[in-house]
Amino acid sequence: MALSGMRGLSVFISDVRNCQNKEQERLRVDKELGNVRTRFKNEKGLSPYEKKKYVWKMLYIYMLGYDVDFGHMEAVSLISAPKYPEKQVGYIVTACLLNENHDFLRLAINTVRNDIIGRNETFQCLALTLVGNIGGREFAESLAADVQKLLISSSCRPLVRKKAALCLLRLYRKNPDVVNVDGWADRMAQLLDERDLGVLTSSMSLLVALVSNNHEAYWSCLPKCVKTLERLARNQDIPQEYTYYGIPSPWLQVKTMRALQYFPTVEDPNTRRSLFEVLQRILMGTDVVKNVNKNNASHAVLFEALALVMHLDAEKEMMSQCVALLGKFIAVREPNIRYLGLENMTRMLMVTDVQDIIKRHQAQIITSLKDPDISIRRRALDLLYGMCDVSNAKDIVEELLQYLSSADFAMREELSLKAAILAEKFAPDLSWYVDVILQLIDKAGDFVSDDIWFRVVQFVTNNEDLQSYAAAKAREYLNKPAIHETMVKVSAYILGEYGHLLARRPGYSPKELFTIIHEKHPTVSTSTIPILLSSYAKILMHTQPPEPELQNQIWTIFNKYESCIDVEIQQRAAEYFALSRKGASLMDILAEMPKFPERQSALIRKAEDAEVDTAEQSAIKLRAQQQMSTALVVTDQRPPNGMPAQPSIGPLSLVKVPSETVDSNPGDQGLTHPNGVVYKEDPQPPSQDIIGDLLGTLSIEGPPGAVAQSPQSATYEAEGAPSAADAAALVPVGEESGSVQPIGNINERFYALCLKDSGVLYEDPNIQIGIKAEWRAHQGRLVLFLGNKNTASLGSVQALILPPTHLKMELSLVPETIPPRAQVQCPLEVMNLRPSRDVAVLDFSYKFGPTMVNVKLRLPAVLNKFLQPITVSPEEFFPQWRSLSGPPLKLQEVVRGVRPLPLPEMANLFNTYRLTVCPGLDPNPNNLVASTTFYSETTRAMLCLVRIETDPADRTQLRMTVASGDPTLTFELKEFIKEQLVSIPTAPQRPQGPAAPPPPVAPASQDPGALLAGLL
Amino acid sequence: MPVAASAIYFLNLRGDVLINRLYRDDVGGNMVDAFRMHIMQTKELGTCPVRQIGGCSFFYMRISNVYIVIVVSSNANVACAFKFVVEAVALFKSYFGGAFDEDAIRNNFVLIYELLDEIMDFGYPQNLSPEILKLYITQEGVRSPFSSKQALDKPVPNATLQVTGAVGWRREGLAYKKNEVFLDIVESVNLLMSSKGSVLRCDVTGKILMKCFLSGMPDLKLGLNDKIGLEKESQLKNRPTKSGKTIELDDVTFHQCVNLTRFNSEKTVSFVPPDGEFELMKYRITEGVNLPFRVLPTIKELGRTRMEVNVKVKSVFGAKMFALGVVIKIPVPKQTAKTSFQVTSGRAKYNASIDCLVWKIRKFPGQTEPTLSAEIELISTIAEKKSWTRPPIQMEFQVPMFTASGLRVRFLKVWEKSGYNTVEWVRYITKAGSYEVRC
């Protein structure tokens, strides 16, 4: 730096460095700032030398972290100085002190531009650096073109072009829209022919940015990239100064390969061949050496090459070569290399066909699981998880279980989760799965999330063969002196449900089971006690004939908990106590739990969520999509008793809280439950969440109305046990069709869509049907958007249109299944034949899991959609009005019971129905005149005129006159308007008042179920 | 007496322990780490001298470059603890010859340990008087066992006698050729005045310092022109109160040598002084303060880049007196670039590191009013102009032979068995505490 001669600056710097403490430094800096201020304010002005010196000082102070809020003017003015040292200071200080949003920079743009287009190379470089460092929008707008010109100019030195490339890259990254890159592909291709490696490296960076945005335009660059790669890796045709530890410009190689990865494939066979040749050479030529720097460079190249190979889907031979190489890496002692090896192997799993080759290294990977470095252990775990399949699952899971006891705490949760998932996915037989999970809970109870044991319970419930085995196993674990609480939960649940299956075996009598479960009772927390209580109730129920002693014991426990402070426990105890006194009905109520509906394992979802630190490619995700869980297939069978496996509609579900749904109609309820106990099953939408589901059936929490539960259970107790039990026994299990509840009011959605052209027609937890319509004269085009909201696909999708006679409708093919989280578009052509108020109905059905959902939806292809607003002048209106005289062309009616509306609002309403209100036609201000054109196949365009006479004294009645050239049209339009005025449809912004009389057409009830019934 | 300390730590500014002494084992040895973590390394430092972390209370104060931290886990007497620290520091200073800092501590480890053992026992403060401690804890440090016997023989009986005797602070058998008493009244004036000249806050803290070189066991009696003393006197002597100003003293505290029973009954300050220098009493005055200076500032902001400052300082004490070392600091905005001054006396300059115009007048006679007028040019900045907060003008000065309170010594009587003659010297001095005038 040109500091020579600036004594003041060096003295200042040494002063600052010699300061003993921060306070002294601050004093010195403040003094200097005062000095600089005085100098800058000096009227006589500063010599360029002084200016330079003080600006340097300012920069130094700024770099020390002090606030410098003056002197920018001086810095910017130095940019236009003629001499290099001053210009340099100006550029550097401006770049440091100002950011792209500063107004001061505007002053500099012109000078910078002059420097860029000027002839002086050093000035060009300085200017390009500044633009590259600050590169705001204004700079990009005014300078991008010049920088581009500079980049391709042949007269420039490579030094300048290199900087120009990087500068352009920065401008492009900041504001891709400002930099004009149309037709830039040829230029880029040209640039890639460059001999100078510096320029080439910079251009390659630019290319990577360009290609990542839009690879289509840069196909022509692909062969050039390959050629560059050839030049570097094969021919080694580069100057000495660009080799790094004998590797020809590793940076350029990496960048080139990165650019190549943005192209989907390499199609040209020649290019492809030569590319593979180069890659082969890179793969073969890399080895682990002593020198760290050389290793770093060569491995950077190698791993980029591996990524490229994976991207290009090379031949199997090459892949196996890659895997072999990685296998060599994971055996190396150096941890960095081993980490990279493991990570890349995990990525390799994405590519098909190499798994078998990877499996050969299984032993080595398992050794890595015991590495002292935790990041390596994590990678090894990921890899094991990813490479697991049916053939090696047993080994791997056992290895993981063994490792679990020695693994450090940070990893245990992840480890147990992964082990559980693998055990579930690749279980050779289900008893093994149960074994593994129980072992898992036993070994790492604290780290086993609830999902894991929920899942095992679900499995056991859904597989009958497994039940007695699981019960026996659970009994075995309970024998152990100290077991984890989670184990108590699982065992208690399983023994409660299935203990009776083993009642004949010695040691499995109800009494013994009770004793062994109850032994654990003092050690557990409140969350487990409800489960224990349920088990006791079940054991009691299964004891036939009843044993008075056992009964008394259990009753004592129930009695004790009837006054528990925990509402959950208290309610269970009270209910079970009451139920168990009922005798025979207990059998039905406490019968075995129904099967669970099948769905994606919550564990896998959890694992997906947890996947944050792994690279973008997650083997798990890939796996989850590629192969459905085999275990799921095993269990996917109809229940033997033929009972539809519906969520939460089983005998035990009435243990659930009786919660009154808020929107239910009390009158309706009164009819079904004459005994006055309002007891409605809350049809739970099949939640995605197994946890929620399992809790819903296992425990009494669950339904959303849980808040309302305490007062209810209070009345429950007050009424006395027998009546409560009666009520419980009488509980209806809810409407079948109600199992999937629509979200939002279908009616409201329909009316909203009558007024606008796009919106949501129907929504439930599984699907959302959107609609978008375009209307032109008598034709219309609707598009139905069927969106699957689930992560599982929806099957048996059917959509039928039931058109009224006046509409011709054609629905294009609706696919049978909708993939998970996908949206399907179904265009629907509509043609209006003649005027009518009838409405088309869409009969839509789909199947989600075992549930079949069928809805009938009105389509918003209504009369007013075929109206075109038109304004008529008085000269046109009156002749028309007079010519259409008397019925049937002109109809008049007095309408009563209209919802009172102020006149402007009514005019608004008319306008939304595409009836143009023409003000000033009627001299009476209380009247309204509107006109519109109606289109249909038979009538063609037909002018319609409407006149509304309102009574300011009584707004609920009005006289309406409708006239048109077609009698049917006149009648239909009149009726249509009447409907709208009487039952003013709730436009979204105007909620319907509760006082409004029930409109004749739209069912008044807000209850979607009733609505559906009405539609049916 | 309540506990004052469970442990005492001396830390340097980095938080390293220089020396520590645990008096009770109810605090752990690692408590100082908690102090370092939760106080020294946060912004809390210097905000509140008492902090509670965990179950322990930390009392700390900074003396030059040393933090003295007292840790206590029980309900301690905070005032007692701080008084202990202050006294201990005074004690160390008298041992080290005036300086108390990190180096002094490092150089006197053994001595400090010895003193720490002596001045506090199981958390209860003991005798902290340097005169007495110096009798038996000598600065020589380690001595050879042979010579120690002789050397120790003499002071020890004295020391016991002293500590247990009625006049613990004075040795018997002192003899001076010339019996002299020096008495200084030192007052510092704290003032906050609004720009309009109305007094917002004003008080004087004063102390009477004495230096005695008297033989034997003299009994001294001090008479001041304070209100209580005068009233009592006139009551006793059945004389009407003398006309003239009487001063009302608040918060009077005495040195332990003052006979309080006598003060309570007769309202006279009588005492047997310790030998050498000591602080006889401290007091505070809030009413009837004679301000030595009036400051009349006018500061005009002329647009964004110019300011005009005019300050007039008026001395309101007697024309024959004069103030010394007067410094007036007039704050200016941070972006001050150029200044030009005109002063009628003294010298002024702009100090960028404290953002002030500093106007110094070495000798400032009474009843004069020098002025300063300055023009200031500001530099324009890119930051939005924040309105300048206008900090107050600060002033430093010393006025000899002037008391802001008006306190005067009426008499100082010395009575001794032998009845020698004494020479009494009295001095008055008024200093600026925080003397601030808003502008």
Side-chain angles (χ1 to χ4, degrees):
Chain A
M1 218 180 271
L3 287 185
S4 56
M6 275 190 279
R7 222 179 101 72
L9 179 60
S10 39
V11 166
F12 170 62
I13 291 175
S14 70
D15 275 2
V16 168
R17 287 192 181 153
N18 287 336
C19 283
Q20 296 283 325
N21 53 37
K22 192 79 192 152
E23 186 58 24
Q24 271 180 23
E25 184 186 296
R26 195 191 61 76
L27 289 177
R28 181 70 186 90
V29 165
D30 276 346
K31 187 178 160 204
E32 196 58 44
L33 280 176
N35 181 25
V36 175
R37 282 196 297 262
T38 316
R39 297 300 176 139
F40 281 168
K41 196 71 186 178
N42 203 342
E43 271 85 22
K44 276 171 269 170
L46 295 162
S47 69
Y49 163 78
E50 279 174 322
K51 208 186 223 177
K52 182 178 76 175
K53 186 173 79 177
Y54 292 119
V55 172
W56 273 129
K57 278 186 185 173
M58 260 172 52
L59 180 64
Y60 185 73
I61 291 169
Y62 179 78
M63 278 160 51
L64 286 176
Y66 295 91
D67 211 17
V68 176
D69 56 358
F70 65 93
H72 302 90
M73 193 59 216
E74 279 76 11
V76 171
S77 71
L78 274 174
I79 290 181
S80 47
K83 277 204 214 143
Y84 177 77
E86 287 142 38
K87 213 183 238 312
Q88 182 203 22
V89 187
Y91 273 116
I92 290 180
V93 175
T94 309
C96 288
L97 258 54
L98 298 179
N99 66 27
E100 57 179 289
N101 302 322
H102 260 296
D103 292 339
F104 265 107
L105 279 182
R106 291 216 186 97
L107 304 174
I109 288 186
N110 224 359
T111 332
V112 173
R113 180 152 191 273
N114 284 338
D115 278 340
I116 286 182
I117 55 179
R119 288 262 142 229
N120 189 323
E121 279 163 1
T122 46
F123 291 179
Q124 280 177 328
C125 287
L126 283 175
L128 286 171
T129 314
L130 176 87
V131 176
N133 279 336
I134 298 181
R137 190 169 187 88
E138 276 174 53
F139 269 89
E141 274 164 5
S142 48
L143 296 178
D146 295 319
V147 177
Q148 276 174 315
K149 221 179 280 168
L150 215 54
L151 175 58
I152 50 172
S153 112
S154 53
S155 58
C156 278
R157 277 229 316 232
L159 175 72
V160 180
R161 296 176 58 204
K162 201 159 72 176
K163 283 194 190 284
L166 292 177
C167 177
L168 193 61
L169 170 65
R170 150 85 189 202
L171 293 182
Y172 181 74
R173 277 187 187 152
K174 267 306 251 194
N175 304 296
D177 49 323
V178 173
V179 182
N180 178 20
V181 286
D182 296 339
W184 189 248
D186 296 341
R187 303 276 166 79
M188 279 315 293
Q190 232 173 318
L191 274 175
L192 294 179
D193 284 336
E194 175 66 44
R195 292 296 302 167
D196 185 278
L197 275 186
V199 180
L200 194 55
T201 312
S202 312
S203 315
M204 198 55 87
S205 301
L206 181 60
L207 181 68
V208 170
L210 292 172
V211 168
S212 69
N213 225 16
N214 170 21
H215 66 82
E216 290 294 340
Y218 295 93
W219 276 113
S220 55
C221 296
L222 198 148
K224 306 271 180 169
C225 290
V226 175
K227 208 176 273 170
T228 310
L229 214 52
E230 267 185 323
R231 176 181 157 198
L232 291 174
R234 202 182 62 192
N235 306 346
Q236 311 233 332
D237 164 26
I238 61 160
Q240 185 57 39
E241 64 265 29
Y242 280 97
T243 51
Y244 181 78
Y245 287 95
I247 302 159
S249 186
W251 293 277
L252 183 54
Q253 288 194 45
V254 167
K255 273 182 186 155
T256 314
M257 287 191 275
R258 177 66 54 85
L260 283 172
Q261 283 173 60
Y262 283 107
F263 294 101
T265 50
V266 180
E267 269 154 12
D268 178 38
N270 282 333
T271 320
R272 195 176 165 88
R273 202 179 48 241
S274 48
L275 177 58
F276 278 123
E277 208 176 297
V278 177
L279 289 175
Q280 182 81 27
R281 187 178 280 270
I282 294 174
L283 293 181
M284 296 306 292
T286 313
D287 214 344
V288 180
V289 291
K290 264 259 170 73
N291 190 313
V292 181
N293 289 334
K294 178 163 185 174
N295 257 346
N296 288 344
S298 64
H299 289 143
V301 175
L302 175 68
F303 286 120
E304 206 58 50
L306 279 175
L308 187 55
V309 169
M310 280 184 252
H311 174 75
L312 292 175
D313 261 343
E315 295 84 32
K316 189 158 184 209
E317 200 182 325
M318 195 144 182
M319 289 291 186
S320 56
Q321 210 174 3
C322 293
V323 178
L325 201 62
L326 289 175
K328 218 178 341 168
F329 277 19
I330 61 173
V332 166
R333 251 194 38 212
E334 162 71 24
N336 290 330
I337 298 175
R338 209 159 49 207
Y339 179 93
L340 288 169
L342 287 169
E343 194 186 8
N344 274 278
M345 243 188 205
T346 316
R347 290 190 188 186
M348 288 295 273
L349 285 171
M350 306 252 301
V351 185
T352 42
D353 297 342
V354 292
Q355 285 183 33
D356 295 333
I357 318 170
I358 291 180
K359 260 185 240 167
R360 283 184 219 144
H361 301 284
Q362 189 170 321
Q364 185 61 46
I365 298 166
I366 287 172
T367 325
S368 298
L369 210 52
K370 286 154 192 136
D371 197 276
D373 188 337
I374 186 163
S375 46
I376 291 185
R377 290 199 298 267
R378 279 190 196 281
R379 286 300 140 256
L381 178 60
D382 276 349
L383 181 53
L384 278 178
Y385 177 72
M387 67 189 274
C388 190
D389 62 16
V390 185
S391 65
N392 57 3
K394 218 161 178 165
D395 291 343
I396 290 182
V397 171
E398 247 139 55
E399 197 58 54
L400 292 182
L401 278 180
Q402 208 183 332
Y403 174 52
L404 192 59
S405 37
S406 61
D408 46 354
F409 294 103
M411 266 178 84
R412 281 197 187 178
E413 174 150 17
E414 195 189 345
L415 193 61
S416 60
L417 184 65
K418 288 192 167 162
I421 294 171
L422 291 180
E424 178 188 326
K425 267 202 205 162
F426 304 114
D429 60 294
L430 291 170
S431 56
W432 179 77
Y433 168 71
V434 173
D435 278 350
V436 167
I437 300 294
L438 290 181
Q439 222 175 321
L440 196 66
I441 296 173
D442 188 38
K443 276 191 172 160
D446 283 332
F447 301 94
V448 173
S449 55
D450 282 346
D451 303 357
I452 294 178
W453 80 265
F454 290 169
R455 190 73 182 157
V456 76
V457 163
Q458 227 174 353
F459 254 89
V460 174
T461 311
N462 287 5
N463 292 287
E464 270 174 43
D465 332 340
L466 209 53
Q467 290 165 354
S468 53
Y469 176 77
K473 266 281 173 201
R475 169 82 173 73
E476 252 172 57
Y477 273 104
L478 276 181
N479 270 342
K480 288 193 176 182
I483 58 172
H484 193 265
E485 192 167 334
T486 312
M487 186 59 101
V488 177
K489 287 185 195 171
V490 193
S491 308
Y493 184 88
I494 292 177
L495 285 178
E497 287 288 328
Y498 309 112
H500 63 99
L501 298 176
L502 306 171
R504 315 241 157 202
R505 297 200 204 168
Y508 285 80
S509 72
K511 188 151 171 41
E512 278 162 306
L513 287 184
F514 169 73
T515 322
I516 197 163
I517 296 175
H518 195 60
E519 242 170 47
K520 308 291 174 198
H521 170 264
T523 60
V524 296
S525 64
T526 40
S527 64
T528 314
I529 289 177
I531 297 174
L532 293 187
L533 291 182
S534 298
S535 303
Y536 298 161
K538 294 224 168 183
I539 289 174
L540 192 60
M541 181 270 292
H542 285 303
T543 318
Q544 296 302 345
E547 287 175 37
E549 194 192 339
L550 179 65
Q551 202 171 27
N552 279 335
Q553 264 179 326
I554 292 178
W555 280 356
T556 323
I557 296 166
F558 287 161
N559 268 328
K560 179 180 146 206
Y561 280 113
E562 265 179 3
S563 54
C564 179
I565 192 155
D566 190 293
V567 179
E568 172 71 42
I569 299 174
Q570 187 190 32
Q571 189 173 1
R572 274 193 199 222
E575 286 180 9
Y576 288 146
F577 185 59
L579 285 172
S580 62
R581 295 253 284 261
K582 283 303 288 177
S585 60
L586 182 69
M587 290 286 269
D588 297 335
I589 295 161
L590 292 178
E592 211 168 277
M593 289 295 282
K595 305 218 181 268
F596 289 87
E598 274 316 326
R599 55 179 63 115
Q600 193 196 2
S601 165
L603 299 185
I604 294 178
R605 276 195 298 124
K606 191 170 171 185
E608 280 171 11
D609 293 345
E611 209 68 15
V612 275
D613 58 334
T614 0
E616 57 271 31
Q617 298 101 333
S618 147
I620 300 166
K621 253 184 223 166
L622 195 82
R623 281 314 192 74
Q625 285 163 9
Q626 274 178 354
Q627 22 188 209
M628 288 307 286
S629 154
T630 50
L632 285 183
V633 179
V634 175
T635 53
D636 192 10
Q637 47 191 338
R638 298 298 295 177
N641 56 4
M643 193 180 69
Q646 289 223 345
S648 72
I649 304 176
L652 196 73
S653 63
L654 49 85
V655 174
K656 287 173 48 165
V657 184
S659 73
E660 188 182 353
T661 42
V662 184
D663 59 341
S664 63
N665 188 336
D668 184 35
Q669 294 265 330
L671 283 174
T672 36
H673 306 290
N675 58 3
V677 181
V678 181
Y679 208 85
K680 191 176 175 204
E681 181 66 24
D682 188 23
Q684 228 183 352
S687 68
Q688 272 291 298
D689 209 347
I690 282 182
I691 320 162
D693 233 41
L694 206 69
L695 273 179
T697 42
L698 276 178
S699 66
I700 304 189
E701 51 196 64
V707 192
Q709 93 185 33
S710 31
Q712 284 220 334
S713 57
T715 46
Y716 206 15
E717 278 176 359
E719 278 182 18
S723 79
D726 271 347
L730 285 174
V731 168
V733 273
E735 282 174 277
E736 190 89 351
S737 62
S739 59
V740 173
Q741 287 279 15
I743 299 171
N745 190 325
I746 297 179
N747 245 356
E748 271 174 22
R749 288 187 191 276
F750 170 72
Y751 281 122
L753 280 171
C754 288
L755 295 177
K756 53 185 190 168
D757 281 340
S758 61
V760 176
L761 182 65
Y762 171 81
E763 186 170 6
D764 67 23
N766 303 323
I767 197 165
Q768 186 188 47
I769 304 178
I771 211 161
K772 198 173 173 197
E774 274 174 59
W775 306 96
R776 185 163 300 143
H778 66 284
Q779 284 175 324
R781 186 184 152 86
L782 278 99
V783 185
L784 297 174
F785 294 89
L786 310 175
N788 182 357
K789 292 162 71 178
N790 279 319
T791 44
S793 49
L794 298 178
S796 319
V797 178
Q798 271 194 335
L800 279 178
I801 299 285
L802 313 172
T805 48
H806 73 286
L807 291 176
K808 212 167 103 184
M809 298 179 113
E810 260 176 69
L811 180 65
S812 64
L813 198 67
V814 178
E816 175 86 15
T817 54
I818 305 177
R821 299 225 173 260
Q823 197 183 49
V824 180
Q825 297 185 11
C826 307
L828 170 67
E829 303 289 345
V830 184
M831 192 189 283
N832 188 15
L833 302 176
R834 54 184 173 277
S836 165
R837 281 171 299 126
D838 295 344
V839 181
V841 171
L842 170 72
D843 182 352
F844 182 79
S845 62
Y846 67 90
K847 198 170 165 185
F848 176 67
T851 24
M852 186 80 188
V853 180
N854 184 314
V855 284
K856 297 211 168 31
L857 303 162
R858 285 181 289 168
L859 286 175
V862 285
L863 186 73
N864 67 315
K865 299 284 183 190
F866 303 103
L867 296 177
Q868 284 282 320
I870 185 170
T871 331
V872 269
S873 59
E875 295 85 56
E876 291 169 293
F877 183 83
F878 289 111
Q880 279 283 341
W881 187 255
R882 274 182 220 115
S883 70
L884 303 164
S885 58
L889 291 184
K890 192 187 216 170
L891 292 170
Q892 193 167 63
E893 191 180 339
V894 175
V895 189
R896 287 175 215 286
V898 176
R899 208 186 79 173
L901 268 184
L903 213 57
E905 218 170 294
M906 192 182 290
N908 242 343
L909 183 72
F910 271 68
N911 279 331
T912 54
Y913 283 110
R914 308 190 189 191
L915 296 154
T916 322
V917 175
C918 313
L921 275 181
D922 202 308
N924 188 341
N926 286 320
N927 292 357
L928 206 74
V929 173
S931 58
T932 188
T933 329
F934 179 78
Y935 289 89
S936 75
E937 183 110 300
T938 50
T939 59
R940 298 285 163 196
M942 180 76 76
L943 185 70
C944 310
L945 304 169
V946 183
R947 180 162 181 242
I948 307 280
E949 291 154 276
T950 62
D951 181 359
D954 182 6
R955 287 230 165 262
T956 57
Q957 62 173 3
L958 48 80
R959 190 168 69 178
M960 174 165 71
T961 320
V962 178
S964 80
D966 183 86
T968 355
L969 174 59
T970 310
F971 176 75
E972 293 289 343
L973 186 61
K974 188 196 74 173
E975 290 299 309
F976 178 78
I977 296 173
K978 196 168 89 184
E979 265 170 31
Q980 306 309 324
L981 286 177
V982 173
S983 65
I984 290 180
T986 46
Q989 67 271 29
R990 282 193 303 268
Q992 191 167 356
V1001 190
S1005 166
Q1006 303 288 301
D1007 184 19
L1011 227 169
L1012 266 177
L1015 264 172
L1016 287 169
Chain B
M1 185 157 71
V3 177
S6 293
I8 185 164
Y9 290 94
F10 294 77
L11 311 179
N12 66 8
L13 294 183
R14 273 176 48 211
D16 303 330
V17 180
L18 300 173
I19 223 171
N20 70 324
R21 178 79 171 82
L22 296 170
Y23 291 108
R24 300 173 148 234
D25 43 14
D26 55 354
V27 295
N30 57 349
M31 286 318 287
V32 73
D33 297 332
F35 178 80
R36 195 160 43 222
M37 296 284 292
H38 294 284
I39 300 175
M40 292 195 82
Q41 289 171 2
T42 61
K43 285 180 187 159
E44 306 283 342
L45 193 65
T47 52
C48 175
V50 180
R51 289 268 297 159
Q52 286 191 302
I53 303 167
C56 287
S57 310
F58 289 84
F59 313 145
Y60 65 95
M61 74 198 306
R62 183 179 160 173
I63 312 276
S64 73
N65 56 0
V66 177
Y67 278 100
I68 301 177
V69 185
I70 278 185
V71 189
V72 144
S73 70
S74 53
N75 184 12
N77 185 338
V78 180
C80 176
F82 278 109
K83 181 70 182 166
F84 172 76
V85 173
V86 171
E87 291 295 325
V89 170
L91 174 68
F92 293 144
K93 276 184 179 165
S94 79
Y95 265 97
F96 306 156
F100 179 79
D101 52 19
E102 196 181 335
D103 290 337
I105 292 178
R106 286 192 192 283
N107 295 335
N108 293 286
F109 273 138
V110 181
L111 181 63
I112 293 175
Y113 274 126
E114 214 172 331
L115 287 172
L116 286 176
D117 276 345
E118 206 55 54
I119 57 179
M120 185 170 265
D121 191 8
F122 196 54
Y124 299 107
Q126 306 294 311
N127 199 335
L128 282 135
S129 152
E131 289 82 38
I132 297 164
L133 286 170
K134 272 180 184 167
L135 290 178
Y136 50 99
I137 297 177
T138 46
Q139 290 189 38
E140 274 78 41
V142 188
R143 291 188 198 185
S144 80
F146 303 102
S147 60
S148 70
K149 218 168 195 175
Q150 283 180 321
L152 284 175
D153 269 350
K154 214 179 99 193
V156 169
N158 272 346
T160 2
L161 200 80
Q162 284 243 314
V163 176
T164 54
V167 189
W169 53 88
R170 189 175 176 91
R171 221 159 14 115
E172 292 204 39
L174 289 167
Y176 290 94
K177 202 185 276 171
K178 197 175 173 190
N179 291 299
E180 280 180 310
V181 184
F182 298 86
L183 190 146
D184 290 352
I185 296 185
V186 181
E187 294 190 337
S188 65
V189 192
N190 300 314
L191 171 79
L192 181 64
M193 195 183 257
S194 75
S195 54
K196 305 254 164 56
S198 59
V199 175
L200 301 173
R201 194 185 66 214
C202 176
D203 62 89
V204 173
T205 56
K207 50 190 175 184
I208 301 178
L209 301 174
M210 286 192 81
K211 201 188 244 178
C212 295
F213 301 111
L214 296 170
S215 316
M217 273 288 177
D219 207 348
L220 274 75
K221 203 170 170 187
L222 175 68
L224 298 168
N225 62 340
D226 63 314
K227 202 173 174 185
I228 310 169
L230 286 177
E231 272 170 10
K232 192 77 188 177
E233 200 173 304
S234 55
Q235 216 176 49
L236 283 175
K237 295 184 178 164
N238 260 333
R239 262 192 307 199
T241 316
K242 261 190 217 159
S243 60
K245 206 179 163 192
T246 58
I247 312 295
E248 204 165 342
L249 301 177
D250 301 334
D251 305 335
V252 183
T253 51
F254 291 111
H255 188 260
Q256 59 165 333
C257 65
V258 175
N259 189 337
L260 292 178
T261 43
R262 204 103 146 261
F263 180 75
N264 286 337
S265 58
E266 297 168 27
K267 303 289 172 200
T268 51
V269 184
S270 68
F271 54 96
V272 178
D275 195 39
E277 219 177 309
F278 68 102
E279 186 185 289
L280 179 68
M281 66 182 276
K282 280 194 290 200
Y283 58 89
R284 205 161 62 86
I285 287 169
T286 48
E287 273 166 35
V289 178
N290 311 320
L291 292 177
F293 292 100
R294 296 221 163 245
V295 182
L296 306 164
T298 42
I299 294 182
K300 278 186 232 157
E301 288 180 61
L302 312 165
R304 280 177 59 110
T305 57
R306 260 162 53 78
M307 266 176 62
E308 209 176 81
V309 178
N310 277 299
V311 180
K312 186 191 281 182
V313 182
K314 200 169 163 184
S315 55
V316 285
F317 45 86
K320 283 180 190 157
M321 290 191 273
F322 52 84
L324 294 175
V326 178
V327 179
I328 301 143
K329 290 179 186 161
I330 304 149
V332 290
K334 218 173 161 41
Q335 59 271 40
T336 300
K338 244 179 101 181
T339 48
S340 58
F341 306 98
Q342 278 189 325
V343 286
T344 54
S345 81
R347 253 180 219 178
K349 66 170 195 224
Y350 167 59
N351 188 337
S353 45
I354 53 170
D355 293 319
C356 281
L357 303 180
V358 182
W359 179 19
K360 288 183 180 164
I361 304 167
R362 200 178 293 156
K363 193 167 174 183
F364 197 135
Q367 304 297 341
T368 55
E369 40 177 279
T371 56
L372 167 142
S373 57
E375 276 195 19
I376 293 166
E377 283 183 54
L378 307 176
I379 200 161
S380 54
T381 63
I382 52 159
E384 284 133 59
K385 182 142 168 82
K386 283 172 268 171
S387 63
W388 178 44
T389 51
R390 286 181 178 248
I393 295 176
Q394 294 180 330
M395 212 173 152
E396 293 166 19
F397 54 81
Q398 275 191 12
V399 192
M401 299 320 281
F402 172 85
T403 50
S405 58
L407 195 71
R408 284 276 175 272
V409 175
R410 286 172 47 238
F411 56 82
L412 177 62
K413 291 175 187 157
V414 182
W415 183 87
E416 221 275 341
K417 285 179 282 189
S418 55
Y420 52 70
N421 284 330
T422 51
V423 188
E424 291 111 23
W425 304 91
V426 178
R427 268 197 310 189
Y428 303 96
I429 193 160
T430 295
K431 293 182 193 164
S434 95
Y435 203 88
E436 293 180 337
V437 179
R438 289 192 183 154
C439 55

